[in-house]
Structures are given as structure tokens and as C-alpha cells.
mmCIF file of all heavy atoms in Angstrom:
data_model
loop_
_atom_site.group_PDB
_atom_site.id
_atom_site.type_symbol
_atom_site.label_atom_id
_atom_site.label_comp_id
_atom_site.label_asym_id
_atom_site.label_seq_id
_atom_site.Cartn_x
_atom_site.Cartn_y
_atom_site.Cartn_z
ATOM 1 N N ASN A 1457 0.820 -1.196 -0.046
ATOM 2 C CA ASN A 1457 0.051 -0.088 0.023
ATOM 3 C C ASN A 1457 0.802 1.246 0.017
ATOM 4 O O ASN A 1457 0.527 2.202 -0.751
ATOM 5 C CB ASN A 1457 -0.964 -0.033 1.157
ATOM 6 C CG ASN A 1457 -2.075 -0.981 1.043
ATOM 7 O OD1 ASN A 1457 -2.412 -1.398 -0.004
ATOM 8 N ND2 ASN A 1457 -2.536 -1.402 2.228
ATOM 9 N N TRP A 1458 1.947 1.297 0.736
ATOM 10 C CA TRP A 1458 2.760 2.354 0.847
ATOM 11 C C TRP A 1458 3.530 2.582 -0.485
ATOM 12 O O TRP A 1458 3.798 3.723 -0.845
ATOM 13 C CB TRP A 1458 3.706 2.361 2.052
ATOM 14 C CG TRP A 1458 3.115 2.768 3.285
ATOM 15 C CD1 TRP A 1458 2.732 2.009 4.399
ATOM 16 C CD2 TRP A 1458 2.602 4.180 3.572
ATOM 17 N NE1 TRP A 1458 2.037 2.785 5.254
ATOM 18 C CE2 TRP A 1458 2.108 4.030 4.878
ATOM 19 C CE3 TRP A 1458 2.792 5.337 2.995
ATOM 20 C CZ2 TRP A 1458 1.655 5.255 5.540
ATOM 21 C CZ3 TRP A 1458 2.337 6.545 3.608
ATOM 22 C CH2 TRP A 1458 1.721 6.428 4.908
ATOM 23 N N LYS A 1459 3.937 1.488 -1.075
ATOM 24 C CA LYS A 1459 4.676 1.636 -2.386
ATOM 25 C C LYS A 1459 3.821 2.305 -3.425
ATOM 26 O O LYS A 1459 4.358 3.058 -4.274
ATOM 27 C CB LYS A 1459 5.094 0.277 -2.901
ATOM 28 C CG LYS A 1459 6.218 -0.310 -2.206
ATOM 29 C CD LYS A 1459 6.657 -1.636 -2.746
ATOM 30 C CE LYS A 1459 7.921 -2.208 -2.161
ATOM 31 N NZ LYS A 1459 8.390 -3.475 -2.757
ATOM 32 N N SER A 1460 2.534 2.229 -3.319
ATOM 33 C CA SER A 1460 1.636 2.818 -4.350
ATOM 34 C C SER A 1460 1.029 4.074 -3.877
ATOM 35 O O SER A 1460 0.185 4.783 -4.598
ATOM 36 C CB SER A 1460 0.412 1.817 -4.706
ATOM 37 O OG SER A 1460 -0.368 1.553 -3.631
ATOM 38 N N SER A 1461 1.490 4.663 -2.725
ATOM 39 C CA SER A 1461 1.005 5.868 -2.169
ATOM 40 C C SER A 1461 1.728 7.001 -2.735
ATOM 41 O O SER A 1461 2.853 6.944 -3.269
ATOM 42 C CB SER A 1461 1.189 5.815 -0.645
ATOM 43 O OG SER A 1461 1.016 7.091 -0.078
ATOM 44 N N ASP A 1462 1.141 8.128 -2.829
ATOM 45 C CA ASP A 1462 1.757 9.340 -3.241
ATOM 46 C C ASP A 1462 2.076 10.343 -2.038
ATOM 47 O O ASP A 1462 2.250 11.526 -2.250
ATOM 48 C CB ASP A 1462 1.074 10.109 -4.286
ATOM 49 C CG ASP A 1462 -0.358 10.415 -3.958
ATOM 50 O OD1 ASP A 1462 -0.837 10.170 -2.807
ATOM 51 O OD2 ASP A 1462 -1.106 11.051 -4.749
ATOM 52 N N SER A 1463 1.974 9.778 -0.828
ATOM 53 C CA SER A 1463 2.197 10.546 0.412
ATOM 54 C C SER A 1463 3.626 11.030 0.561
ATOM 55 O O SER A 1463 4.504 10.353 -0.022
ATOM 56 C CB SER A 1463 1.878 9.659 1.548
ATOM 57 O OG SER A 1463 2.335 10.178 2.764
ATOM 58 N N PRO A 1464 3.844 12.207 1.102
ATOM 59 C CA PRO A 1464 5.254 12.691 1.246
ATOM 60 C C PRO A 1464 6.079 11.814 2.181
ATOM 61 O O PRO A 1464 7.271 11.816 2.122
ATOM 62 C CB PRO A 1464 5.049 14.038 1.770
ATOM 63 C CG PRO A 1464 3.553 14.236 2.094
ATOM 64 C CD PRO A 1464 2.883 13.078 1.517
ATOM 65 N N VAL A 1465 5.456 10.970 2.965
ATOM 66 C CA VAL A 1465 6.171 10.040 3.821
ATOM 67 C C VAL A 1465 6.381 8.652 3.236
ATOM 68 O O VAL A 1465 6.706 7.691 3.965
ATOM 69 C CB VAL A 1465 5.529 9.965 5.329
ATOM 70 C CG1 VAL A 1465 5.666 11.440 6.028
ATOM 71 C CG2 VAL A 1465 4.166 9.443 5.189
ATOM 72 N N ARG A 1466 5.944 8.473 2.081
ATOM 73 C CA ARG A 1466 5.955 7.119 1.409
ATOM 74 C C ARG A 1466 7.257 6.460 1.551
ATOM 75 O O ARG A 1466 7.277 5.301 1.982
ATOM 76 C CB ARG A 1466 5.679 7.342 -0.156
ATOM 77 C CG ARG A 1466 5.852 6.098 -0.868
ATOM 78 C CD ARG A 1466 5.592 6.356 -2.403
ATOM 79 N NE ARG A 1466 5.946 5.185 -3.111
ATOM 80 C CZ ARG A 1466 7.049 5.046 -3.759
ATOM 81 N NH1 ARG A 1466 7.931 6.082 -3.882
ATOM 82 N NH2 ARG A 1466 7.282 3.945 -4.478
ATOM 83 N N ASP A 1467 8.351 7.100 1.150
ATOM 84 C CA ASP A 1467 9.713 6.390 1.212
ATOM 85 C C ASP A 1467 10.065 5.954 2.678
ATOM 86 O O ASP A 1467 10.622 4.869 2.851
ATOM 87 C CB ASP A 1467 10.836 7.337 0.590
ATOM 88 C CG ASP A 1467 10.632 7.542 -0.859
ATOM 89 O OD1 ASP A 1467 9.874 6.632 -1.492
ATOM 90 O OD2 ASP A 1467 11.296 8.393 -1.484
ATOM 91 N N GLU A 1468 9.764 6.791 3.598
ATOM 92 C CA GLU A 1468 10.068 6.510 5.010
ATOM 93 C C GLU A 1468 9.229 5.243 5.466
ATOM 94 O O GLU A 1468 9.737 4.399 6.089
ATOM 95 C CB GLU A 1468 9.716 7.791 5.888
ATOM 96 C CG GLU A 1468 10.125 7.513 7.261
ATOM 97 C CD GLU A 1468 9.745 8.815 8.136
ATOM 98 O OE1 GLU A 1468 9.775 9.945 7.558
ATOM 99 O OE2 GLU A 1468 9.537 8.629 9.427
ATOM 100 N N ARG A 1469 7.962 5.330 5.100
ATOM 101 C CA ARG A 1469 7.037 4.205 5.623
ATOM 102 C C ARG A 1469 7.540 2.909 4.841
ATOM 103 O O ARG A 1469 7.460 1.759 5.408
ATOM 104 C CB ARG A 1469 5.659 4.482 5.306
ATOM 105 C CG ARG A 1469 5.122 5.627 6.148
ATOM 106 C CD ARG A 1469 5.157 5.331 7.653
ATOM 107 N NE ARG A 1469 4.683 6.388 8.388
ATOM 108 C CZ ARG A 1469 5.390 7.298 9.008
ATOM 109 N NH1 ARG A 1469 6.768 7.160 8.975
ATOM 110 N NH2 ARG A 1469 4.988 8.337 9.688
ATOM 111 N N CYS A 1470 7.886 3.015 3.616
ATOM 112 C CA CYS A 1470 8.221 1.803 2.832
ATOM 113 C C CYS A 1470 9.531 1.224 3.461
ATOM 114 O O CYS A 1470 9.583 -0.022 3.629
ATOM 115 C CB CYS A 1470 8.560 2.191 1.455
ATOM 116 S SG CYS A 1470 7.128 2.393 0.358
ATOM 117 N N ALA A 1471 10.474 2.093 3.860
ATOM 118 C CA ALA A 1471 11.673 1.587 4.586
ATOM 119 C C ALA A 1471 11.267 0.842 5.851
ATOM 120 O O ALA A 1471 11.965 -0.205 6.116
ATOM 121 C CB ALA A 1471 12.635 2.770 4.786
ATOM 122 N N GLU A 1472 10.398 1.477 6.554
ATOM 123 C CA GLU A 1472 9.977 0.885 7.936
ATOM 124 C C GLU A 1472 9.418 -0.520 7.760
ATOM 125 O O GLU A 1472 9.689 -1.505 8.447
ATOM 126 C CB GLU A 1472 9.018 1.834 8.610
ATOM 127 C CG GLU A 1472 9.665 3.081 9.169
ATOM 128 C CD GLU A 1472 8.652 4.107 9.670
ATOM 129 O OE1 GLU A 1472 7.393 3.871 9.675
ATOM 130 O OE2 GLU A 1472 9.150 5.113 10.129
ATOM 131 N N TYR A 1473 8.393 -0.531 6.771
ATOM 132 C CA TYR A 1473 7.762 -1.903 6.553
ATOM 133 C C TYR A 1473 8.628 -2.825 5.953
ATOM 134 O O TYR A 1473 8.628 -4.095 6.205
ATOM 135 C CB TYR A 1473 6.532 -1.750 5.683
ATOM 136 C CG TYR A 1473 5.337 -1.211 6.522
ATOM 137 C CD1 TYR A 1473 4.918 0.083 6.645
ATOM 138 C CD2 TYR A 1473 4.701 -2.160 7.403
ATOM 139 C CE1 TYR A 1473 3.910 0.529 7.455
ATOM 140 C CE2 TYR A 1473 3.680 -1.707 8.322
ATOM 141 C CZ TYR A 1473 3.205 -0.406 8.302
ATOM 142 O OH TYR A 1473 2.209 -0.042 9.151
ATOM 143 N N LEU A 1474 9.609 -2.529 5.073
ATOM 144 C CA LEU A 1474 10.538 -3.408 4.525
ATOM 145 C C LEU A 1474 11.470 -3.997 5.634
ATOM 146 O O LEU A 1474 11.688 -5.173 5.667
ATOM 147 C CB LEU A 1474 11.453 -2.762 3.451
ATOM 148 C CG LEU A 1474 12.403 -3.547 2.738
ATOM 149 C CD1 LEU A 1474 11.720 -4.777 2.118
ATOM 150 C CD2 LEU A 1474 13.203 -2.812 1.727
ATOM 151 N N SER A 1475 11.793 -3.130 6.570
ATOM 152 C CA SER A 1475 12.622 -3.580 7.679
ATOM 153 C C SER A 1475 11.829 -4.573 8.517
ATOM 154 O O SER A 1475 12.309 -5.555 9.020
ATOM 155 C CB SER A 1475 13.012 -2.379 8.591
ATOM 156 O OG SER A 1475 13.707 -2.744 9.706
ATOM 157 N N LEU A 1476 10.506 -4.231 8.784
ATOM 158 C CA LEU A 1476 9.576 -5.152 9.479
ATOM 159 C C LEU A 1476 9.475 -6.484 8.819
ATOM 160 O O LEU A 1476 9.619 -7.573 9.493
ATOM 161 C CB LEU A 1476 8.188 -4.491 9.672
ATOM 162 C CG LEU A 1476 7.226 -5.298 10.502
ATOM 163 C CD1 LEU A 1476 7.805 -5.686 11.904
ATOM 164 C CD2 LEU A 1476 5.864 -4.558 10.609
ATOM 165 N N VAL A 1477 9.258 -6.483 7.505
ATOM 166 C CA VAL A 1477 9.163 -7.742 6.704
ATOM 167 C C VAL A 1477 10.443 -8.618 6.884
ATOM 168 O O VAL A 1477 10.423 -9.777 7.094
ATOM 169 C CB VAL A 1477 8.819 -7.476 5.264
ATOM 170 C CG1 VAL A 1477 9.059 -8.729 4.361
ATOM 171 C CG2 VAL A 1477 7.426 -6.930 5.083
ATOM 172 N N THR A 1478 11.603 -7.927 6.793
ATOM 173 C CA THR A 1478 12.893 -8.611 6.931
ATOM 174 C C THR A 1478 12.960 -9.268 8.345
ATOM 175 O O THR A 1478 13.520 -10.369 8.440
ATOM 176 C CB THR A 1478 14.026 -7.599 6.662
ATOM 177 O OG1 THR A 1478 13.917 -7.143 5.325
ATOM 178 C CG2 THR A 1478 15.349 -8.329 6.850
ATOM 179 N N ALA A 1479 12.594 -8.511 9.384
ATOM 180 C CA ALA A 1479 12.657 -8.993 10.753
ATOM 181 C C ALA A 1479 11.728 -10.215 10.967
ATOM 182 O O ALA A 1479 12.091 -11.167 11.562
ATOM 183 C CB ALA A 1479 12.384 -7.848 11.712
ATOM 184 N N LEU A 1480 10.539 -10.115 10.452
ATOM 185 C CA LEU A 1480 9.549 -11.217 10.514
ATOM 186 C C LEU A 1480 9.977 -12.487 9.764
ATOM 187 O O LEU A 1480 9.907 -13.562 10.290
ATOM 188 C CB LEU A 1480 8.198 -10.636 10.010
ATOM 189 C CG LEU A 1480 7.434 -9.669 10.935
ATOM 190 C CD1 LEU A 1480 6.349 -9.031 10.142
ATOM 191 C CD2 LEU A 1480 7.014 -10.325 12.231
ATOM 192 N N LYS A 1481 10.642 -12.285 8.665
ATOM 193 C CA LYS A 1481 11.155 -13.461 7.983
ATOM 194 C C LYS A 1481 12.214 -14.103 8.767
ATOM 195 O O LYS A 1481 12.322 -15.304 8.851
ATOM 196 C CB LYS A 1481 11.678 -13.034 6.580
ATOM 197 C CG LYS A 1481 10.635 -12.676 5.645
ATOM 198 C CD LYS A 1481 11.062 -12.050 4.278
ATOM 199 C CE LYS A 1481 12.279 -12.557 3.757
ATOM 200 N NZ LYS A 1481 12.701 -11.834 2.495
ATOM 201 N N ALA A 1482 13.125 -13.289 9.490
ATOM 202 C CA ALA A 1482 14.146 -13.903 10.224
ATOM 203 C C ALA A 1482 13.567 -14.657 11.393
ATOM 204 O O ALA A 1482 14.004 -15.731 11.745
ATOM 205 C CB ALA A 1482 15.163 -12.732 10.667
ATOM 206 N N GLU A 1483 12.611 -13.987 12.013
ATOM 207 C CA GLU A 1483 11.952 -14.688 13.131
ATOM 208 C C GLU A 1483 11.235 -15.936 12.801
ATOM 209 O O GLU A 1483 11.269 -16.923 13.481
ATOM 210 C CB GLU A 1483 10.910 -13.758 13.768
ATOM 211 C CG GLU A 1483 10.502 -14.068 15.166
ATOM 212 C CD GLU A 1483 9.670 -13.061 15.884
ATOM 213 O OE1 GLU A 1483 9.771 -11.827 15.492
ATOM 214 O OE2 GLU A 1483 9.055 -13.360 16.832
ATOM 215 N N ILE A 1484 10.678 -16.012 11.593
ATOM 216 C CA ILE A 1484 10.015 -17.211 11.092
ATOM 217 C C ILE A 1484 11.096 -18.358 10.862
ATOM 218 O O ILE A 1484 10.856 -19.446 11.289
ATOM 219 C CB ILE A 1484 9.223 -17.015 9.758
ATOM 220 C CG1 ILE A 1484 7.961 -16.157 10.130
ATOM 221 C CG2 ILE A 1484 8.945 -18.267 9.081
ATOM 222 C CD1 ILE A 1484 7.054 -15.618 8.921
ATOM 223 N N LEU A 1485 12.175 -17.996 10.316
ATOM 224 C CA LEU A 1485 13.275 -18.960 10.187
ATOM 225 C C LEU A 1485 13.690 -19.484 11.465
ATOM 226 O O LEU A 1485 14.047 -20.716 11.659
ATOM 227 C CB LEU A 1485 14.374 -18.334 9.360
ATOM 228 C CG LEU A 1485 14.287 -18.291 7.858
ATOM 229 C CD1 LEU A 1485 15.508 -17.585 7.191
ATOM 230 C CD2 LEU A 1485 14.127 -19.625 7.303
ATOM 231 N N GLU A 1486 13.923 -18.526 12.482
ATOM 232 C CA GLU A 1486 14.308 -18.964 13.754
ATOM 233 C C GLU A 1486 13.294 -20.018 14.385
ATOM 234 O O GLU A 1486 13.699 -21.064 14.920
ATOM 235 C CB GLU A 1486 14.467 -17.762 14.647
ATOM 236 C CG GLU A 1486 15.645 -16.936 14.416
ATOM 237 C CD GLU A 1486 15.622 -15.720 15.294
ATOM 238 O OE1 GLU A 1486 15.012 -15.654 16.342
ATOM 239 O OE2 GLU A 1486 16.394 -14.742 14.926
ATOM 240 N N PHE A 1487 12.018 -19.690 14.207
ATOM 241 C CA PHE A 1487 11.005 -20.566 14.702
ATOM 242 C C PHE A 1487 11.072 -21.985 14.081
ATOM 243 O O PHE A 1487 11.017 -22.997 14.707
ATOM 244 C CB PHE A 1487 9.647 -19.938 14.351
ATOM 245 C CG PHE A 1487 8.592 -20.087 15.369
ATOM 246 C CD1 PHE A 1487 8.170 -19.014 16.162
ATOM 247 C CD2 PHE A 1487 8.123 -21.314 15.761
ATOM 248 C CE1 PHE A 1487 7.171 -19.086 17.024
ATOM 249 C CE2 PHE A 1487 7.084 -21.436 16.787
ATOM 250 C CZ PHE A 1487 6.670 -20.348 17.498
#
């Protein structure tokens, strides 16, 4: 959703969610 947004905070939110996805994938692997 953020990738398709035209919000001025788009890039910041994309970076945050990308970081969250990366962390969740690592946690799934640990599990």
C-alpha cells in the first residue's frame, strides 16, 4: 500500500515496513 502511495512520507514508511518484513522473515526462520 505504501509503495503505491503518493504521500510525502511514502519512502520513510516503505523503509519501515521493509525492515519489519525482513525481521519477521528472520523470526519465522528462527521458529
Side-chain angles (χ1 to χ4, degrees):
N1457 289 337
W1458 278 108
K1459 282 183 177 180
S1460 63
S1461 171
D1462 58 1
S1463 170
V1465 296
R1466 173 184 169 258
D1467 291 343
E1468 183 180 335
R1469 294 298 177 261
C1470 283
E1472 290 170 359
Y1473 277 102
L1474 183 58
S1475 177
L1476 180 58
V1477 166
T1478 300
L1480 289 166
K1481 287 170 38 182
E1483 197 170 343
I1484 286 170
L1485 278 178
E1486 287 176 18
F1487 219 115

